[in-house]
């Protein structure tokens, strides 16, 4: 399975995974943001670590799809995935059930984590001051229709990396000149490729391997799996990471 890169121009940073499905690896932490475009709307998966980063993403996606972002899915409540959300006005914001409460009560932690990892203090404070919490909680699965037959399923597959992990499945459906388009699963930080998965104090380590099994059930054998950090991977990578996590946390 091969991912394809968008053509030249200001949007060359976006990697094309399937028709209407792209992702970008942001600088500094190699965090992924993804997007799914239909004829009536655009879903953004995660929003970056600052308002400026979110604004850049907003501008690039408007150019790429010809329309504004209408929906945002936050894969988990960590600073590098949520602090750009306020750059998107008037959107519907989704998160795993309970994520909104975590964000509301962890503003100081988000700010401190951002600064510790290199975000300028003023930028971190600004983003936290206007923090947007998801108003659409996902307890099981929700399917969004973006127009033109393009759908995306938001699935609460945690806990694992955090207590509130959301994945996004985009069925292939449409035909690509290169062949049938694959299903694409945005995994958040349940899966990491560019480094060892990070288990912070909010991780549910004993349940993390089961969350990867749920991701595999969601996407199936032939899907493209998009990690929260790193290159796109396949089902074999998820199985290997699940087994590594099981050994790591059983022995820890």
């Amino acid at each position: 399975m091969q991912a394809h890169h968008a053509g030249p121009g200001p949007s060359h940073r976006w990697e094309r995974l399937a028709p209407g499905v792209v992702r970008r690896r942001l600088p500094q932490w190699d965090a992924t943001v993804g997007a799914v475009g239909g004829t009536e709307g655009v879903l953004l998966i995660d929003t970056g670590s600052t308002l400026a980063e979110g604004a850049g993403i907003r501008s690039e996606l408007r150019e790429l799809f010809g329309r504004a972002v209408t929906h945002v899915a936050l894969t988990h409540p960590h600073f590098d995935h949520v602090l750009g959300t306020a750059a998107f006005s008037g959107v519907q914001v989704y998160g795993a059930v309970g994520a909104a409460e975590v964000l509301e009560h962890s503003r100081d932690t988000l700010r401190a984590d951002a600064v510790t990892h290199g975000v300028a203090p003023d930028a971190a404070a600004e983003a936290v001051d206007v923090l947007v919490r998801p108003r659409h909680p996902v307890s099981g699965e929700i399917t969004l229709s973006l127009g033109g037959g393009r759908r995306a399923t938001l699935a609460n597959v945690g806990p694992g990396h955090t207590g509130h992990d959301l994945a996004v499945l985009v069925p292939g459906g449409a035909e690509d000149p290169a062949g049938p388009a694959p299903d694409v699963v945005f995994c958040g930080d349940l899966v990491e490729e560019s480094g060892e998965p990070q288990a912070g104090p909010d991780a549910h380590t004993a349940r993390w391997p089961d969350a990867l099994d749920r991701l595999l059930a969601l996407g199936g054998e032939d899907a493209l799996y998009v990690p929260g950090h790193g290159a796109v991977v396949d089902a074999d990578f998820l199985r290997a990471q699940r087994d590594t996590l099981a050994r790591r946390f059983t022995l820890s």
Side-chain angles (χ1 to χ4, degrees):
M1 294 179 291
Q2 295 291 324
H4 305 285
H5 291 272
S11 298
H12 70 280
R13 301 181 186 92
W14 291 84
E15 183 181 1
R16 180 180 181 274
L17 305 176
V21 186
V22 297
R23 72 90 174 243
R24 182 181 168 192
R25 296 167 70 167
L26 298 173
Q28 195 160 355
W29 303 285
D30 195 25
T32 284
V33 292
V36 186
T39 59
E40 299 172 6
V42 175
L43 167 67
L44 172 65
I45 299 108
D46 290 339
T47 61
S49 59
T50 65
L51 293 178
E53 199 161 60
I57 293 165
R58 180 189 65 207
S59 176
E60 290 179 359
L61 289 178
R62 179 179 282 278
E63 179 175 352
L64 194 62
F65 290 115
R67 59 184 60 84
V69 170
T70 54
H71 302 74
V72 165
L74 300 177
T75 62
H76 62 288
H78 285 171
F79 83 92
D80 50 332
H81 297 262
V82 305
L83 287 187
T85 308
F88 301 87
S89 61
V91 302
Q92 299 180 42
V93 182
Y94 295 77
V97 65
E101 290 73 20
V102 168
L103 288 172
E104 178 62 27
H105 294 103
S106 63
R107 291 174 181 264
D108 290 343
T109 299
L110 286 168
R111 183 187 297 107
D113 284 349
V115 172
T116 297
H117 286 86
V119 175
D122 288 350
E126 179 187 31
V128 170
D129 284 347
V130 293
L131 183 68
V132 174
R133 296 179 295 137
R135 300 292 184 182
H136 299 275
V138 181
S139 59
E141 295 183 1
I142 295 175
T143 298
L144 304 178
S145 178
L146 301 171
R150 174 60 67 200
R151 298 179 183 274
T153 297
L154 316 184
N156 186 335
V157 294
H161 176 66
T162 72
H164 311 281
D165 294 307
L166 190 73
V168 178
L169 166 67
V170 186
E175 290 292 321
D176 191 336
D183 292 351
V184 179
V185 181
F186 291 91
C187 305
D189 284 5
L190 285 168
V191 180
E192 295 193 38
E193 185 275 336
S194 55
E196 185 175 88
Q198 299 300 300
D202 56 347
H204 292 244
T205 57
R207 301 178 69 178
W208 198 334
D210 291 338
L212 294 192
D213 283 332
R214 287 189 284 275
L215 283 175
L216 285 163
L218 184 68
E221 191 64 27
D222 298 322
L224 297 176
Y225 292 91
V226 184
H229 302 262
V232 174
V233 299
D234 59 14
D236 285 341
F237 183 95
L238 260 67
R239 279 190 288 270
Q241 191 155 100
R242 175 200 60 196
D243 294 345
T244 298
L245 289 170
R247 289 192 298 271
R248 171 182 167 188
F249 296 132
T250 298
L251 297 174
S252 60

